[in-house]
Amino acid sequence: MEKIYIYKIFERFWHWSQALIIGFLGVTGFEIHGSFSLFGFENAVRWHSIAAWVFLILIVFAIFWHFTSGEWRQYIPTTKLLKEQFMYYIGGIFNNAPHPTNKTVYNKFNPLQRITYLGLKILVIPVIVTSGFLYLYFQYPKFGIEFQSLEPIALIHTFGAYILLAFVIAHVYLTTVTGVKSFSSIKAMITGWEEMEDEEIKIVVEEEMEVALQEIKGKLKAGDEKSDLLDDALGAVEEKLGVKRETFFRDAIAESSAGYFCIGKDGYYKEVNDAWLNLYKYNSKNEIIDQHYRLSRTEEDFKELEASVMKVLQGETINHGEVKRICKDGSEGYHTLTLSPVYIDDEISCFEGFIIDTTAKHLAEHEMLKKKIRLAERQKKNKEENN
Amino acid sequence: MKKLISIVLILCFTGWVMADDEGAEKDSSRSFPITNYIYKADRNTNPSADHSKFEILKQPFENAHQLTAACLSCHTERDKEIMITSHWNWEREDVLEGKGKVKLGKKNILNNFCIGVKGSEATCTRCHIGYGWKDKSFNFKDPLNIDCVICHDNSGTYKKGKGMAGYPDPSVNLNYVAQSVGQPGRDNCGVCHFWGGGGNNVKHGDLDVSMLDVKREVDVHMTTEGEDMSCVDCHVTEKHQMAGKVYALSSENKDRATCVQCHTNKPHTDEILNDHMIRIACQTCHIPVYAKENATKMWWDWSSAGRLDEDGHPMHENDAYGNHNYLSIKGNFVYDDDVVPEYYWFNGLANHQLISDKIDTVPLQMNTLYGSYRDKGEFQSSVEPSKIWPVKVHRGKQIYDTILKTLIQPKLWDKEKGKGAYWVDFDWDEASRVGMEYVGQPYSGAYGFIETEMYWPLNHQVSPASESLKCVDCHTRNNGRLASLTDFYLPGRDRNAFLDGFGIIVIVGAIVGVIIHSILRRYLRRKCFFQKETN
């Protein structure tokens, strides 16, 4: 069980002050409606009007925040998994089925939430706010506008209040059912940190990595300093998630489909991941750790690679092209690799990198080449026969 | 971030603090704007001339006309001002809906108190500012018929004689009265306006003798504990034309004495209350009850009149509080005090049941007040939208012609028996015949008694602000002050049963859904765990 930082400070301030204001508007509003007596009608009216203005100010801030932070994208409705989410609430939830969707910084809301919150934002709240201000300022003739009756405005306003109240009930309830524990969602909304299952966290980390790598890709193309960029991106991930790179980076590496290796500056393997073992057809790490990397290279490849390693140990990061590898059973494979230095206390102690298998591509290209040669030969033969 | 929070919090708090300030100032006397008003402390009440020094007023007056002549010898032209006022003519030209221009006034209008003055002038004109109006022969053009001192006597000794057609009581010392004249005080106005209808506070309900020396709780303006305003401070008078009129007699929205002439149309610091003024008269909230000191007449049933005692003499019976509840000459009454007004939409226009008008509704409205919620904007029919007004409604039963379906003006008063006056002969048929002949209207010979209602919008005896109506007096679900005005949506009172039903279903549905969902979750999950374990 770990915690992930999901809700930013303004978001939390906005959410809770909004909750407070809407609650207060609800209480005073239903007193004005005549449902009960609490503050006294006069106070209820006065405070309801003041709270309405405070709410409007908050709405302006929230709209500004949504657009400047890009958070408005969270509310773009989607039908993907919508049905699954709905079925989860009315079925799967009773059988301890897993959540069909995961909460991440980039995708905070499940599809049902997206649609519901969007509906609130563009339908319910605007209707309540608009009818409320008509109620406040146009029940008597103003600026040449005069409604023949307050009734429709009041009824629309009341209707909105009922819908909002029903939403609040369902909303509060669902916060207690969707978290790891009953109050973890509410706690997350207060502190910003959401408790999550390890499984979920991995998904979150992967997603963060993906975003970070995409960013780095964009920057690499622009030709920026390469090694710093990786650090920056990982730093950004760390900051967003609030997790230590060491822990989750390693976990992510362990799960990665790309092969990972870390080699000491003396040339001996220090760490590889499962994908690497797979590609090199080893059964366990023990078979390779503390072996020299020349083990899996042909003589001429090793020389070329050694030259690259020297550069890396000087502090360069290298995007190496396709290389041939010799697997445990002696068979050959092909992959591309990256090489980057690892600093410990400002000194390069080892280098690491990812390998992405290209054997299939290599073989395919090889076959393609052979096919082309065959075709060329056949054409040549045909020409000769015709002649 | 913290700054943002504190800014929003400050905004909230200043809003509340400002709101609280408004509340605190509410009862202070100068917190609301007043224009064109001289506070008591700044008034100069010294008379401009000492009338006891004028030789002409020391002459022995043989009759009251000579006193008038003496007045007019200095105050020339004042007679012409007087003789175009309704105080003199007891009528003025008004436009009635469906009836066009009509001359209306006490001279010809019927009410459901003493019905009308015609045929009984000699006693009724005790309240006329003239001498000698005993019948139709009275000369309204003769300046010497004007009674100046009924309004201008400041000695408090002048009074008109009973049944003397407006002439002073023989006991009055005209020289003394003439030498102590001045601006009309509240007792000059009150002698008629408090006592109209034959007793204190009978008619208006908000004008009675207690106002000669009145507590602040009863009348915040005229209170002798405070501002001590006189009638003419509000009923501003120019050339003897007094602002203000009563809808018992008039029908047009003009020449009214209003609150806003001093208080402006934004008297409250609270904007919402000022907005209320667009559709609610000041009086509605600020006159929460009427007849605060003395009871007023609420019911007058003429049909039971004529019951005499064993010796055949007229008699009277009182209720537990000492108010008449039966008089042989007038019938049964019901008095009440601290009465909660009834509320009506009113746009300043009224109609009147004239003696020639057919009766088409029961109870018959003697004076219809026009107005409705819809009377605004494009549907507005007067100079401003209809407002909700507090009204004293006087109900009763009075005589009418059952065949011609018109009201009857019976002759009520005479000095002698045998002239048809009901109050001495107790014969409705004869009183009706003589009365209707006198006013030139037909009488079929068949009479009955019909229920009537008369509407008196309330204006006086304004309570201190602390006593005025509170929001919840109207904005309440049941039994609010405005429960009878159902032609509009009143927040706190009204709701749409369908919408509220829907709302309750939605909310209860949500709660029940949540409960069922959580029960199912607990129950089914446990079952699953159990199954897993057994597997």
Side-chain angles (χ1 to χ4, degrees):
Chain A
M1 205 79 72
E2 288 289 343
K3 287 184 169 180
I4 296 286
Y5 191 63
I6 295 274
Y7 303 112
K8 294 170 196 72
I9 179 136
F10 176 80
E11 205 170 10
R12 287 176 282 139
F13 163 76
W14 165 59
H15 175 269
W16 288 112
S17 48
Q18 174 171 261
L20 213 69
I21 293 167
I22 287 180
F24 186 71
L25 284 167
V27 173
T28 49
F30 278 104
E31 174 156 15
I32 294 166
H33 184 60
S35 305
F36 50 78
S37 284
L38 183 65
F39 302 118
F41 191 87
E42 188 174 353
N43 289 332
V45 168
R46 182 175 294 145
W47 295 344
H48 194 80
S49 312
I50 293 169
W53 276 107
V54 175
F55 189 36
L56 196 74
I57 293 167
L58 186 68
I59 286 175
V60 170
F61 274 102
I63 289 174
F64 180 76
W65 177 80
H66 273 91
F67 282 102
T68 51
S69 66
E71 286 289 316
W72 62 273
R73 290 194 188 86
Q74 301 270 3
Y75 299 90
I76 299 171
T78 171
T79 51
K80 195 181 155 200
L81 296 177
L82 180 63
K83 200 178 147 203
E84 286 78 356
Q85 184 67 33
F86 184 69
M87 295 310 288
Y88 169 73
Y89 281 137
I90 63 165
I93 195 168
F94 304 124
N95 298 323
N96 263 350
H99 258 265
T101 55
N102 288 290
K103 191 183 292 191
T104 71
V105 179
Y106 299 98
N107 190 11
K108 281 198 283 265
F109 306 134
N110 70 48
L112 259 183
Q113 282 177 305
R114 277 176 182 251
I115 283 196
T116 310
Y117 297 167
L118 183 70
L120 280 181
K121 276 168 191 284
I122 64 169
L123 218 65
V124 181
I125 300 285
V127 163
I128 292 185
V129 170
T130 311
S131 59
F133 278 86
L134 291 178
Y135 201 140
L136 261 184
Y137 294 106
F138 289 93
Q139 57 171 311
Y140 299 114
K142 282 245 170 92
F143 318 119
I145 302 173
E146 184 171 12
F147 288 96
Q148 265 319 305
S149 169
L150 176 63
E151 187 161 15
I153 298 169
L155 295 189
I156 289 169
H157 196 65
T158 314
F159 174 78
Y162 281 127
I163 297 294
L164 202 56
L165 182 54
F167 162 77
V168 168
I169 292 168
H171 179 65
V172 170
Y173 172 67
L174 287 176
T175 60
T176 66
V177 307
T178 50
V180 175
K181 294 177 201 149
S182 289
F183 294 104
S184 55
S185 292
I186 293 175
K187 241 188 251 167
M189 218 2 149
I190 296 170
T191 62
W193 293 82
E194 171 117 25
E195 271 184 84
M196 285 190 177
E197 303 280 3
D198 293 343
E199 272 306 303
E200 285 183 289
I201 288 174
K202 270 175 198 157
I203 292 165
V204 171
V205 170
E206 272 172 28
E207 194 169 322
E208 288 297 339
M209 297 275 301
E210 194 184 313
V211 172
L213 287 172
Q214 268 171 11
E215 276 171 12
I216 211 173
K217 202 171 142 197
K219 284 179 183 171
L220 278 174
K221 274 183 187 159
D224 289 338
E225 272 297 320
K226 292 176 186 176
S227 63
D228 289 349
L229 283 172
L230 189 63
D231 265 0
D232 284 353
L234 290 171
V237 172
E238 204 175 294
E239 204 178 304
K240 274 176 190 152
L241 293 173
V243 294
K244 278 273 157 260
R245 191 196 316 185
E246 288 307 312
T247 331
F248 292 103
F249 185 46
R250 297 294 165 203
D251 278 2
I253 284 165
E255 293 292 312
S256 172
S257 61
Y260 168 81
F261 61 88
C262 179
I263 299 170
K265 54 182 177 186
D266 50 6
Y268 291 96
Y269 281 107
K270 290 173 78 111
E271 177 69 48
V272 293
N273 70 353
D274 292 347
W276 192 96
L277 292 173
N278 228 3
L279 290 174
Y280 281 84
K281 300 185 180 165
Y282 284 91
N283 296 322
S284 88
K285 281 183 190 173
N286 300 336
E287 294 172 353
I288 188 67
I289 300 288
D290 289 339
Q291 299 285 345
H292 200 273
Y293 68 88
R294 87 174 75 196
L295 179 71
S296 49
R297 298 280 176 262
T298 61
E299 208 53 34
E300 58 269 33
D301 279 356
F302 173 66
K303 274 183 187 148
E304 191 192 334
L305 208 53
E306 203 170 30
S308 299
V309 168
M310 288 307 288
K311 284 185 196 166
V312 172
L313 292 176
Q314 299 294 318
E316 215 173 298
T317 297
I318 286 179
N319 234 334
H320 210 286
E322 193 170 74
V323 294
K324 192 199 273 182
R325 69 172 179 268
I326 298 162
C327 302
K328 187 191 171 193
D329 57 1
S331 63
E332 289 178 357
Y334 296 88
H335 60 253
T336 58
L337 83 163
T338 57
L339 290 168
S340 52
V342 176
Y343 291 86
I344 292 174
D345 298 334
D346 284 341
E347 264 189 43
I348 297 169
S349 68
C350 50
F351 60 95
E352 60 185 358
F354 288 97
I355 62 170
I356 292 169
D357 187 43
T358 54
T359 311
K361 181 179 155 239
H362 188 87
L363 291 177
E365 277 170 1
H366 195 73
E367 286 304 313
M368 183 83 87
L369 195 64
K370 282 202 267 183
K371 194 177 159 193
K372 271 185 187 165
I373 292 167
R374 274 202 306 279
L375 273 173
E377 279 173 357
R378 194 175 298 162
Q379 277 175 349
K380 202 175 169 189
K381 221 181 199 175
N382 287 349
K383 266 186 188 172
E384 281 168 7
E385 278 173 16
N386 287 345
N387 288 343
Chain B
M1 192 61 240
K2 275 174 188 161
K3 264 184 198 164
L4 182 66
I5 298 175
S6 48
I7 286 169
V8 174
L9 285 178
I10 286 166
L11 279 174
C12 303
F13 280 119
T14 46
W16 272 307
V17 169
M18 280 158 64
D20 280 353
D21 281 352
E22 287 164 17
E25 279 180 12
K26 209 176 265 177
D27 216 354
S28 143
S29 61
R30 296 198 186 186
S31 66
F32 44 80
I34 296 180
T35 60
N36 296 325
Y37 174 72
I38 300 166
Y39 283 93
K40 186 183 179 186
D42 305 328
R43 268 177 249 154
N44 178 358
T45 52
N46 297 331
S48 306
D50 182 355
H51 281 75
S52 66
K53 292 178 178 162
F54 294 119
E55 285 305 320
I56 195 168
L57 301 179
K58 293 176 182 167
Q59 63 165 308
F61 294 117
E62 279 170 28
N63 58 46
H65 296 291
Q66 288 181 355
L67 169 53
T68 303
C71 297
L72 293 177
S73 67
C74 290
H75 299 281
T76 64
E77 315 309 317
R78 291 301 213 178
D79 53 321
K80 295 186 183 67
E81 291 171 21
I82 284 290
M83 285 159 71
I84 55 171
T85 66
S86 50
H87 270 125
W88 172 254
N89 288 312
W90 277 18
E91 69 178 12
R92 66 187 142 209
E93 205 165 71
D94 261 354
V95 175
L96 288 187
E97 193 181 270
K99 296 165 195 170
K101 274 190 181 173
V102 185
K103 284 204 163 183
L104 282 180
K106 293 185 72 64
K107 201 185 259 177
N108 58 352
I109 255 183
L110 302 185
N111 60 41
N112 63 358
F113 292 88
C114 291
I115 301 176
V117 302
K118 287 275 174 73
S120 313
E121 286 96 331
T123 186
C124 298
T125 56
R126 197 175 161 207
C127 270
H128 182 242
I129 55 163
Y131 302 126
W133 183 1
K134 62 181 197 308
D135 55 30
K136 282 188 261 190
S137 66
F138 179 68
N139 185 359
F140 285 94
K141 300 252 158 62
D142 183 356
L144 296 185
N145 282 344
I146 296 170
D147 182 351
C148 305
V149 287
I150 185 65
C151 297
H152 291 285
D153 167 44
N154 281 176
S155 74
T157 61
Y158 183 81
K159 60 180 180 182
K160 288 172 179 267
K162 264 194 171 179
M164 291 176 66
Y167 282 106
D169 192 89
S171 66
V172 172
N173 179 341
L174 289 177
N175 288 99
Y176 181 61
V177 169
Q179 290 168 29
S180 41
V181 290
Q183 269 218 336
R186 56 181 79 172
D187 47 348
N188 296 92
C189 306
V191 72
C192 287
H193 292 284
F194 296 160
W195 294 88
N200 178 34
N201 207 20
V202 162
K203 275 184 171 169
H204 290 266
D206 59 351
L207 288 175
D208 81 301
V209 288
S210 74
M211 290 160 88
L212 296 177
D213 182 9
V214 65
K215 286 185 290 190
R216 185 167 182 270
E217 287 69 34
V218 174
D219 192 319
V220 77
H221 295 111
M222 297 181 75
T223 176
T224 37
E225 302 165 0
E227 266 311 289
D228 200 12
M229 294 170 71
S230 75
C231 307
V232 288
D233 283 335
C234 293
H235 293 276
V236 180
T237 305
E238 198 176 347
K239 305 280 184 199
H240 283 106
Q241 290 287 355
M242 312 192 78
K245 51 189 192 160
V246 64
Y247 280 91
L249 295 169
S250 53
S251 59
E252 284 187 72
N253 195 355
K254 62 182 186 189
D255 307 331
R256 296 170 72 179
T258 63
C259 308
V260 298
Q261 68 197 23
C262 290
H263 288 283
T264 80
N265 55 10
K266 289 202 186 328
H268 308 99
T269 46
D270 186 321
E271 201 50 41
I272 295 177
L273 289 182
N274 283 337
D275 276 354
H276 274 66
M277 288 181 65
I278 300 171
R279 299 312 304 273
I280 293 169
C282 312
Q283 290 87 332
T284 298
C285 298
H286 292 284
I287 307 178
V289 292
Y290 62 97
K292 293 174 193 168
E293 287 286 285
N294 292 294
T296 186
K297 198 173 282 186
M298 304 302 295
W299 170 259
W300 181 331
D301 182 0
W302 280 99
S303 68
S304 60
R307 182 160 55 86
L308 305 174
D309 68 9
E310 293 123 11
D311 308 325
H313 297 302
M315 56 173 193
H316 71 265
E317 290 167 1
N318 284 359
D319 65 14
Y321 303 97
N323 299 308
H324 288 311
N325 64 2
Y326 185 77
L327 284 176
S328 299
I329 58 169
K330 294 181 175 178
N332 275 100
F333 312 129
V334 175
Y335 279 85
D336 199 3
D337 56 5
D338 285 324
V339 189
V340 173
E342 295 179 41
Y343 297 92
Y344 291 90
W345 287 108
F346 181 41
N347 60 14
L349 303 176
N351 209 334
H352 294 274
Q353 179 77 18
L354 304 180
I355 194 161
S356 51
D357 290 340
K358 291 280 179 237
I359 294 166
D360 47 12
T361 54
V362 181
L364 175 66
Q365 299 193 336
M366 302 300 287
N367 60 333
T368 308
L369 304 181
Y370 287 118
S372 69
Y373 175 75
R374 268 174 67 85
D375 179 34
K376 62 171 180 173
E378 56 179 314
F379 301 106
Q380 187 173 310
S381 54
S382 184
V383 293
E384 56 182 4
S386 286
K387 294 183 178 188
I388 294 172
W389 273 77
V391 178
K392 175 197 167 177
V393 183
H394 181 257
R395 296 180 167 86
K397 278 186 178 177
Q398 70 192 88
I399 190 163
Y400 80 111
D401 189 316
T402 52
I403 292 174
L404 298 175
K405 301 282 183 219
T406 57
L407 289 171
I408 288 174
Q409 169 64 71
K411 179 175 172 62
L412 292 174
W413 181 89
D414 206 290
K415 273 180 180 164
E416 302 155 24
K417 285 196 175 208
K419 295 205 172 157
Y422 184 78
W423 286 350
V424 284
D425 294 340
F426 297 101
D427 180 349
W428 278 122
D429 187 53
E430 184 62 8
S432 301
R433 195 188 57 74
V434 175
M436 292 301 267
E437 193 184 315
Y438 184 81
V439 297
Q441 292 288 328
Y443 168 58
S444 72
Y447 67 88
F449 293 86
I450 185 170
E451 271 196 41
T452 58
E453 291 179 347
M454 194 171 183
Y455 302 91
W456 296 75
L458 297 166
N459 289 291
H460 306 99
Q461 295 189 354
V462 173
S463 293
S466 57
E467 303 287 315
S468 61
L469 291 192
K470 303 288 174 287
C471 304
V472 282
D473 287 315
C474 300
H475 293 280
T476 184
R477 184 75 81 223
N478 298 309
N479 304 321
R481 292 260 181 163
L482 301 183
S484 63
L485 295 179
T486 53
D487 60 345
F488 69 107
Y489 183 91
L490 178 60
R493 179 192 72 175
D494 292 327
R495 61 201 183 112
N496 181 300
F498 179 77
L499 176 64
D500 274 13
F502 163 82
I504 288 164
I505 290 169
V506 166
I507 306 278
V508 171
I511 292 169
V512 169
V514 159
I515 292 169
I516 291 174
H517 197 268
S518 60
I519 290 172
L520 278 177
R521 254 173 67 231
R522 282 163 191 275
Y523 176 70
L524 288 177
R525 273 194 176 180
R526 202 168 294 153
K527 213 169 129 192
C528 286
F529 282 132
F530 184 65
Q531 281 170 349
K532 271 179 195 163
E533 280 167 22
T534 52
N535 286 344

